[in-house]
Amino acid sequence: MNKKDEATKEEKKNDNAEIVSVQDYTGEGFHGEYNQTTDRIVKRNYEELELIANEYMQENFKTDVEITSYIPLENIAVVLFKTKKEPVIHSSFYVMVDHKDRSLIHQFNAHEGEVEQSIVSGLYHYAYEEEFNKFNEKIEELKDKYPVVSLTEEAHEKTYISMYREKNYYISMSSLSVPSVLDFYKETNEVISKEEVRTMFELIESSEEISKGIVIRLYMKEAGTHSDKKLLNNLIDDMSKFSFLLKGSYTINLMSNDVLKKSGHGVENEDLSIIFENKEEK
């Protein structure tokens, strides 16, 4: 075997190491390669990690948080957390890690608007939880009827870094489209009722449409199968008959059974918008 063939073989080996069947995907490798040194430093400074998270969230959103997990990468740790205040909001931030001093850089870092997006999409789901429960039941019916699956519970928990997410779907909504809702959350110390939040969303949508997307995420069930356009069309046709929906842009993303560990996305993806036949919009 010449050097070129050896290099090609090694590349394929590395590629295969980064790909796994969705049923076997645990979230390991999400965001990048695990770093043992970072892991040890974070464990050693875990109380400070909690302090960084709570200082920022108390100052900006008047809520304490609980760290649910973290992803130790080279010189950085991605930290997943949830709020202690109801409704529970999931989001994430990252901290820089000094390997030389074996310490954390005491600063809360997040992509612009990411925490705010998690809050407003979480509040939207909270306000319309009953409707989304029915929506999720319909997706479960599709999973029983067609050869498709969602992420495992373990993978879902370990990759839940932003926006409101369930195993079957996520809600994308910019806080810029609902500033009054975000301000209300920031100024409220007590438990927020569903009725309060729902009234605020309804008031906004009575005069303008809130820009939001709801994406159904499904994977091919059989090992090694590619995303199937014909199957996706069947899913779309079936889902379009769902008779109750909130306003928004709806999409089904059908992915291959093989997923990339770093992103949790399929190696291959197909997506199409859903046009509902009998919309009862609210």
Side-chain angles (χ1 to χ4, degrees), residues 87-115:
V88 175
I89 304 294
H90 291 256
S91 194
S92 65
F93 68 102
Y94 62 93
V95 291
M96 304 304 297
V97 179
D98 188 329
H99 282 200
K100 183 178 179 180
D101 292 338
R102 303 187 65 79
S103 63
L104 306 179
I105 308 301
H106 196 96
Q107 182 175 343
F108 184 105
N109 303 284
H111 296 295
E112 185 176 1
E114 189 167 82
V115 175

Side-chain angles (χ1 to χ4, degrees), residues 128 177-178 180-181 195-210 247 282:
Y128 295 98
S177 63
V178 286
S180 59
V181 174
E195 291 72 22
E196 286 178 295
V197 184
R198 186 167 181 137
T199 298
M200 295 186 73
F201 278 116
E202 289 176 348
L203 182 61
I204 296 170
E205 292 206 294
S206 66
S207 59
E208 59 182 298
E209 185 170 342
I210 299 172
K247 292 179 181 178
K282 289 193 173 184

Side-chain angles (χ1 to χ4, degrees), residues 238-255:
D238 206 322
M239 197 69 194
S240 68
K241 297 178 175 63
F242 187 48
S243 61
F244 184 89
L245 248 295
L246 302 170
K247 292 179 181 178
S249 171
Y250 290 79
T251 304
I252 295 180
N253 185 0
L254 179 61
M255 293 173 271

Side-chain angles (χ1 to χ4, degrees), residues 135 139 142 214-216 232 235-242 245 248-253 271-277 279:
F135 180 65
I139 301 172
L142 295 183
I214 294 87
V215 179
I216 299 172
L232 176 59
L235 292 168
I236 292 288
D237 289 343
D238 206 322
M239 197 69 194
S240 68
K241 297 178 175 63
F242 187 48
L245 248 295
S249 171
Y250 290 79
T251 304
I252 295 180
N253 185 0
D271 58 76
L272 284 173
S273 297
I274 307 169
I275 307 299
F276 294 98
E277 296 176 1
K279 287 193 287 186

Side-chain angles (χ1 to χ4, degrees), residues 22 50 55 64 110 123 129 135 145 148 153 162 166 170 177 196 208 240 244 260 281:
V22 67
E50 293 178 314
E55 281 180 348
D64 291 323
L123 289 174
E129 187 172 11
F135 180 65
K145 184 176 179 180
V148 293
E153 189 63 39
S162 65
E166 294 282 355
Y170 65 86
S177 63
E196 286 178 295
E208 59 182 298
S240 68
F244 184 89
L260 299 167
E281 295 185 334

